[in-house]
Amino acid sequence: MCGIVGGSSKRNVLPILVEGLKRLEYRGYDSAGVAFTANKKITQVKTVGRVADLESQLKKSDESNNGIAHTRWATHGVPNTKNAHPHSSLNEIFVVHNGIIENHEPLRNNLIAEGYKFISDTDTEVITHLINYYKNAGHDFDSAVIRAIKDLKGAYALGIIDVNNPDFVIGAREHSPLVVGEGIDENFIASDVMALSQVTNKFKFLEDGQIAIISNDNIEILGKNGAPKNIATQEIDSTAYTNDLAGYSHFMEKEIFEQPTAVSNSIEGRVLESGPQEGIFGAGFEEALVDISNIQIVACGTSYHAGRIFEYWSHKFLGINCRVDYGSEYQYQEPIKTQKTLLVTISQSGETADTLASLRFAKKTDNPITLTICNVANSSMCRESDYTMLTNAGPEIGVASTKAFVTQLSCLSLLLLTLMKINNKPENSIKKISKALMDLPKNIQQTLEDLEPYKKVAKLIFNKNSALFLGRGMYFPIAREGALKLKEISYIHAEAYPAGELKHGPLALIDKNMPVLAVVPDNEHLDKILSNIQEVAARKGRVFSIGPISKTEITKEGGHINIPKTLDLLNPIISIVPMQLISYYTAIYKGTDVDKPRNLAKSVTVE
Ligand code: F6R
C-alpha cells in the first residue's frame, strides 16, 4: 500500500513526481523519497513523514529528466530514512516498491553470500541487489530486471532506474497495481491514474507479470519472458480525478457531504420507478443468474459491512442463501464445491489484496459467476470479474471510507432488485423499493442539514476511552461500521454488539464513562432494542440513539437523533451518515489527523 510514481520527460520531471506522490499519499504516508538521474549520477532524497517534507528537502537547483518516487506504508522495517524508498544497490540501481516479497529472506542470504551489504530492514532491498547481481552477470538493464523478477515470490509494483541507462525507467507488476501514463515528450508509471491526471489522460494498464520500459519518446511493454506485448491505450476522464478540498477542511468531510450526489450517480440510469434496467451489471447477467442457489460475498473493512447488510436483504427478499466472508479468511478456507454460486467482491479500490486473492481463489476452486461492485474502473477486480458494477462515487481520498459505503449499498440494492426480478418476486415490491431508492439522495441530504446534534454527541464522547455501538438485524452491520469509523479516525476503542448480546457479557462494561450509540429501527426490533437501551440506562450508561423514530424519551441522558424514514431495508443506508459525522467531529475535537489516521492507508494491496 505504498504509492509509486516514475517518469521520463524532456522537461524537469521532479515537480511532476512530487505532485504524483501527493496524490498517492492516501496509499501510505510514513516516509517518502525520490531518486533522479542528473550529471551521470543518481541523487536520492528521503525523509520520514509526509511528501510535503520531502518537497521542502529538494533543492531549487535539483532538476532531472528521469526519476522514481515513493510514499511508504511500512511493512518490513519501521518508518525511518534508512527504510524509506528508493533503495539502491551500490548507487547504481534504484528501486521503489509497493507490495511484499515473501521469499526475501533466502534471497537476502544468497546475496549476502555474494558479497552484497544490506543497510535497511526492508524486503525491497533484495530486489535492488538482485537486479545489480544479474547486471554484473552480463545482463542488460531490462533483461536483468526480467531475470530478477523471476526469483521474486509475493506482490510487487516496481519502479527502477539505472545510473548507466539514465534515459529509462522500468516498471513491473505482480499482484500490485501499476499503470503507464502516455504524455507528449514524456511517459510515466504510477500506482494509479490519479497520480498522473495532471499530465495525461492516456493510460495503459499493466497485467500481472508485465514490465514497461519507458523513455521520454517510447513505451515498450514486455511479458514475463521478455516477449513484446500490445496493450491498448485507454483515455480516462482526468477531470474525475481531482483532489481538491473544494472549501472543506478535510476530504472526509467533503466526501460525507458528497454522498447525496454520489448515490445519485450510482443509481442514475440504472433504476426507474418501474424497476431496475436490464444489463446494468453487464450483458447477459440476468440470463446467467437464473437458478443461482448461493451468493458468496467477499470483502474487507467497510466494504465487508456493506456485504453483511446484503446478507439480510438476500435472506428476507430473495430467500437465497448468502454468506459473507472477510477476504483475509475466505482465501484460506477449505474449498467447497457449490451449486451455481454468484461470487460478489465489494471494494472501493478494486485492488485490496485479500479480496483480490479471494476472487482468484474462488475462480480456481469453485468457478462461480463473478461480479465486482467497485469504485475504480480498470482495477484488477473489474478486469478479473465476469461482471462489474461501478459505484460511481468519484475518488475517495479520506482514508476512512464514507461515500464508498453508501454507494456500495446503492449498487447492492440494484443487485437485490435485479435478483428479485429474475426470481419473479412481486412487481409491486420491486416498484416500491425502486421508488424509495430513487428518493435516497434526498433522504441523505436531509441528514446533512443540521449538524448541531452530531457535534453535541461528539463533544460528549471525544474525551472517553471506549464506546459501544448497538444494532439489531440489518442495523447491526451499521453499528459495526459506526464503530469502525470512530476507532479509525479518533482512536477511541469502539466495539459493536448485536443489542441482544449485551446481557451476555458486555453489560459489565457499562458505567457513566461508557457512551453507547444505538441504531434504532422502526421495525419489529424496535421494542426489543428499546429494552436493551433501558438496560444500559439503568446502569448509568449514556445512550445516544439514531433512527427514523421520534421517541426522544428513550435516551433522556444522552440524546436521540431523528433521521428521515424510508423503507426499512434502505434506512440502514441513511443511518450511517450521522455516525460518520459524529466520528468526524469527535476526531476534530480530539485533534487527530482525520484524513490520514495513524498506521492506516487507503488502498491495502498487501495481505
Ligand atoms: C475503513 C476502510 C477500510 C476499507 C478496506 C477495504 O474506513 O476504508 O476498512 O473498507 O480496507 O478496502 P476496499 O473497499 O478498497 O477493498
Side-chain angles (χ1 to χ4, degrees):
M1 291 128 50
C2 307
I4 71 176
V5 59
S8 192
S9 173
K10 287 197 173 156
R11 56 179 165 156
N12 179 14
V13 82
L14 294 183
I16 303 171
L17 299 187
V18 169
E19 176 59 27
L21 284 191
K22 285 184 182 161
R23 291 161 182 247
L24 287 172
E25 256 192 327
Y26 73 90
R27 302 178 68 88
Y29 35 80
D30 53 43
S31 53
V34 60
F36 52 93
T37 54
N39 308 322
K40 298 201 169 109
K41 63 179 178 98
I42 295 179
T43 305
Q44 68 172 348
V45 181
K46 306 204 269 191
T47 182
V48 174
R50 302 285 161 90
V51 175
D53 302 317
L54 176 72
E55 190 175 25
S56 65
Q57 288 190 25
L58 281 168
K59 293 197 216 83
K60 283 219 165 58
S61 56
D62 284 334
E63 271 196 22
S64 170
N65 300 115
N66 231 56
I68 50 175
H70 188 267
T71 177
R72 180 168 188 247
W73 184 82
T75 55
H76 291 67
V78 296
N80 58 22
T81 3
K82 193 179 73 172
N83 291 331
H85 299 214
H87 289 285
S88 97
S89 180
L90 308 170
N91 286 328
E92 290 170 3
I93 300 287
F94 287 72
V95 172
V96 287
H97 168 215
N98 166 36
I100 290 180
I101 303 304
E102 285 165 3
N103 60 338
H104 69 100
E105 255 189 65
L107 290 174
R108 177 186 280 250
N109 294 339
N110 293 346
L111 287 160
I112 289 172
E114 291 292 335
Y116 285 93
K117 292 205 167 33
F118 282 77
I119 53 168
S120 78
D121 310 313
T122 66
D123 50 342
T124 305
E125 208 178 347
V126 298
I127 309 173
T128 25
H129 290 318
L130 207 53
I131 297 169
N132 196 305
Y133 169 78
Y134 284 117
K135 264 200 83 190
N136 285 337
H139 286 269
D140 293 335
F141 178 31
D142 51 354
S143 75
V145 172
I146 293 171
R147 182 60 196 84
I149 60 180
K150 283 198 175 109
D151 293 349
L152 304 179
K153 287 205 177 74
Y156 54 81
L158 303 173
I160 310 154
I161 53 174
D162 172 15
V163 75
N164 297 315
N165 288 278
D167 299 328
F168 295 91
V169 173
I170 296 186
R173 81 157 268 180
E174 181 78 18
H175 304 313
S176 290
L178 194 67
V179 300
V180 176
E182 213 178 299
I184 300 166
D185 289 337
E186 55 189 12
N187 292 303
F188 303 92
I189 53 164
S191 298
D192 73 21
V193 297
M194 200 161 67
L196 300 175
S197 61
Q198 84 276 25
V199 283
T200 184
N201 64 348
K202 294 197 178 104
F203 295 94
K204 289 180 188 293
F205 293 86
L206 290 193
E207 300 282 343
D208 278 346
Q210 293 183 335
I211 77 161
I213 304 167
I214 64 162
S215 57
N216 59 30
D217 58 359
N218 194 37
I219 297 172
E220 197 182 353
I221 311 287
L222 304 176
K224 253 191 181 118
N225 293 319
K229 293 268 165 197
N230 241 336
I231 307 187
T233 301
Q234 301 185 30
E235 289 206 9
I236 305 277
D237 175 13
S238 56
T239 54
Y241 292 92
T242 52
N243 60 352
D244 179 2
L245 275 171
Y248 288 96
S249 305
H250 298 93
F251 284 108
M252 182 181 180
E253 183 190 24
K254 177 181 174 225
E255 287 154 10
I256 290 173
F257 281 85
E258 281 173 349
Q259 291 182 115
T261 314
V263 170
S264 281
N265 291 342
S266 68
I267 59 174
E268 200 185 302
R270 291 171 168 171
V271 63
L272 298 176
E273 286 194 12
S274 54
Q277 300 302 288
E278 283 270 324
I280 54 177
F281 290 92
F285 184 74
E286 284 81 355
E287 294 78 52
L289 287 205
V290 173
D291 295 339
I292 52 150
S293 47
N294 290 298
I295 299 175
Q296 170 71 56
I297 296 181
V298 187
C300 300
T302 291
S303 302
Y304 170 86
H305 296 150
R308 288 297 303 271
I309 293 172
F310 185 85
E311 179 185 3
Y312 287 92
W313 292 349
S314 183
H315 294 171
K316 184 161 178 173
F317 297 95
L318 299 170
I320 297 179
N321 176 44
C322 176
R323 191 186 146 129
V324 190
D325 282 284
Y326 288 113
S328 54
E329 294 292 319
Y330 179 83
Q331 58 176 309
Y332 296 112
Q333 67 185 17
E334 276 308 307
I336 291 180
K337 276 259 163 240
T338 59
Q339 300 224 307
K340 207 164 171 188
T341 291
L342 170 68
L343 179 101
V344 185
T345 49
I346 307 173
S347 175
Q348 190 287 127
S349 60
E351 301 292 349
T352 299
D354 287 320
T355 311
L356 187 57
S358 296
L359 169 62
R360 291 173 179 164
F361 170 82
K363 281 169 77 167
K364 222 166 41 202
T365 53
D366 195 30
N367 197 25
I369 299 164
T370 55
L371 162 70
T372 190
I373 292 181
C374 182
N375 195 32
V376 181
N378 292 306
S379 59
S380 302
M381 278 179 226
C382 291
R383 283 184 278 127
E384 295 184 29
S385 299
D386 301 326
Y387 300 96
T388 294
M389 175 167 274
L390 289 176
T391 49
N392 295 342
E396 194 182 61
I397 312 280
V399 163
S401 230
T402 51
K403 63 177 179 170
F405 183 64
V406 296
T407 53
Q408 286 166 350
L409 285 166
S410 309
C411 292
L412 287 167
S413 313
L414 293 168
L415 178 62
L416 172 71
L417 286 166
T418 302
L419 288 168
M420 285 176 79
K421 219 165 136 183
I422 296 171
N423 288 284
N424 301 317
K425 298 294 172 194
E427 208 172 299
N428 60 345
S429 306
I430 296 177
K431 283 187 177 158
K432 221 164 110 186
I433 299 172
S434 300
K435 171 144 185 10
L437 184 57
M438 291 170 80
D439 286 338
L440 197 58
K442 196 175 67 202
N443 300 146
I444 294 177
Q445 183 60 45
Q446 286 163 359
T447 63
L448 298 170
E449 270 148 27
D450 179 9
L451 306 175
E452 284 315 308
Y454 316 131
K455 291 181 182 169
K456 205 169 132 195
V457 178
K459 271 199 184 114
L460 291 165
I461 66 173
F462 83 97
N463 57 358
K464 303 287 187 232
N465 294 325
S466 300
L468 213 52
F469 285 68
L470 302 179
R472 274 178 176 262
M474 62 187 160
Y475 291 83
F476 173 49
I478 290 292
R480 293 184 67 165
E481 173 61 9
L484 178 63
K485 287 290 88 84
L486 187 70
K487 78 178 88 160
E488 67 181 331
I489 61 166
S490 75
Y491 316 147
I492 293 175
H493 168 239
E495 256 191 290
Y497 265 93
E501 264 300 293
L502 255 193
K503 54 190 172 297
H504 299 291
L507 207 52
L509 294 169
I510 301 296
D511 63 14
K512 63 181 180 359
N513 290 317
M514 175 67 87
V516 176
L517 281 91
V519 211
V520 185
D522 189 11
N523 64 17
E524 69 279 10
H525 296 309
L526 176 61
D527 288 338
K528 291 225 169 4
I529 197 158
L530 292 182
S531 308
N532 302 138
I533 285 174
Q534 290 312 325
E535 289 159 15
V536 174
R539 284 149 186 95
K540 302 216 165 16
R542 193 159 208 175
V543 187
F544 304 94
S545 59
I546 295 162
I549 55 160
S550 51
K551 295 195 173 189
T552 47
E553 75 277 12
I554 56 177
T555 55
K556 286 194 206 81
E557 287 291 305
H560 175 72
I561 295 173
N562 189 221
I563 60 167
K565 181 168 160 54
T566 178
L567 292 184
D568 189 38
L569 100 147
L570 296 179
N571 248 128
I573 311 181
I574 304 173
S575 55
I576 193 57
V577 182
M579 299 232 191
Q580 296 167 341
L581 282 159
I582 289 169
S583 300
Y584 174 73
Y585 291 118
T586 304
I588 296 290
Y589 295 141
K590 278 198 79 169
T592 55
D593 189 342
V594 172
D595 283 335
K596 297 189 178 80
R598 68 185 181 203
N599 307 337
L600 299 180
K602 182 81 188 153
S603 183
V604 189
T605 54
V606 294
E607 278 184 28

